[in-house]
Amino acid sequence: MARPKVETLHKHNLPKQDLDDESVTVGGQIRDLRKAKRMSVTTLAEKIGKSVGYVSQIERGISVVSIPILNKISAALEVSNSWFFHGEDIADPTEKSHIVRHNHRRRLSFTGSGMVEELMSPDLSGDVELIMGRFSPGSATGEEQISREKVEVSGHVIKGNIAVEIGERTYELGVGDSFRINPGEPHKTYNNGAEDAEVLWILSPPHY
């Protein structure tokens, strides 16, 4: 798996090309994911025990992130380190702004056991976010309903059966069914069946 440059945090110790190709890429992904989670630079800095200026330098590619710091950032943003890289190798630079190959999807953590999510959008900087969500039997998006202000959530069931709670109503959905959750509506999605279920999620704007 591709790895960022490690140990040094000083720009003059690395060739400019290394900073351009790796530090900027990882820093940009940290920034996009932080914004998608509606987390401020100040909050992230507090979570990893560093200054706001230091986090800002990482996001702008001025400072190279070390493995120990990336571990802390990943934990704060609730993803694994591998989220910041594409599959087993770095994605084709001519494609990375437009294309996501199936083996280059980044896996996202999610509150609630039995849930696996993969980012299908090239990044989180656009107006729409695509996520492939897999529900094992008995899994759910959380114990209680959640609400995303100013975010519209839609879904399309491509495998199995799920139940979607929106407010006080519950909808049973199967393969081929689609749904929309308007901004601010409390909701919960779960799989009460005996087989795995898969849902293609569409969020606008990106929010994770």
Side-chain angles (χ1 to χ4, degrees):
M1 179 175 292
R3 297 164 66 90
K5 296 297 180 183
V6 299
E7 303 307 331
T8 180
L9 297 176
H10 302 290
K11 183 176 181 179
H12 63 268
N13 288 338
L14 286 175
K16 183 178 186 299
Q17 188 64 33
D18 286 341
L19 285 169
D20 289 345
D21 289 350
E22 298 190 6
S23 181
V24 174
T25 298
V26 174
Q29 292 177 6
I30 292 172
R31 180 193 63 238
D32 291 345
L33 183 57
R34 174 182 61 76
K35 289 183 176 181
K37 286 179 173 287
R38 304 299 192 267
M39 184 184 295
S40 68
V41 175
T42 300
T43 299
L44 179 56
E46 291 174 349
K47 286 178 176 291
I48 68 172
K50 294 292 183 179
S51 69
V52 171
Y54 177 79
V55 173
S56 178
Q57 288 181 345
I58 287 178
E59 292 189 349
R60 289 182 290 150
I62 296 175
S63 291
V64 181
V65 61
S66 65
I67 290 298
I69 294 299
L70 186 61
N71 288 339
K72 292 182 179 181
I73 291 174
S74 299
L77 296 176
E78 300 179 321
V79 297
S80 64
N81 284 4
S82 62
W83 190 91
F84 297 106
F85 307 96
H86 299 274
E88 295 300 320
D89 49 25
I90 298 176
D92 186 335
T94 65
E95 295 185 348
K96 65 181 182 180
S97 295
H98 303 283
I99 306 299
V100 178
R101 301 294 180 180
H102 72 279
N103 59 329
H104 287 165
R105 294 177 187 169
R106 286 174 285 179
R107 181 167 293 192
L108 300 144
S109 64
F110 194 87
T111 303
S113 61
M115 276 289 299
V116 175
E117 292 191 338
E118 293 178 332
L119 183 67
M120 299 182 70
S121 301
D123 52 48
L124 296 173
S125 62
D127 294 327
V128 176
E129 173 185 358
L130 295 180
I131 291 178
M132 179 64 69
R134 295 183 175 87
F135 293 77
S136 61
S139 65
T141 53
E143 295 183 1
E144 299 180 354
Q145 292 186 343
I146 59 175
S147 177
R148 294 182 172 92
E149 299 296 331
K150 300 181 181 180
V151 178
E152 181 177 303
V153 180
S154 296
H156 177 71
V157 183
I158 61 176
K159 179 181 178 180
N161 297 276
I162 63 168
V164 180
E165 293 181 7
I166 304 177
E168 298 181 355
R169 297 195 62 178
T170 300
Y171 304 90
E172 302 288 341
L173 304 175
V175 174
D177 293 337
S178 302
F179 59 94
R180 182 179 70 184
I181 302 166
N182 295 315
E185 288 185 322
H187 59 277
K188 174 183 177 180
T189 306
Y190 52 90
N191 178 5
N192 278 344
E195 300 180 353
D196 290 346
E198 295 185 359
V199 177
L200 175 62
W201 296 97
I202 304 97
L203 290 79
S204 180
H207 183 284
Y208 187 78

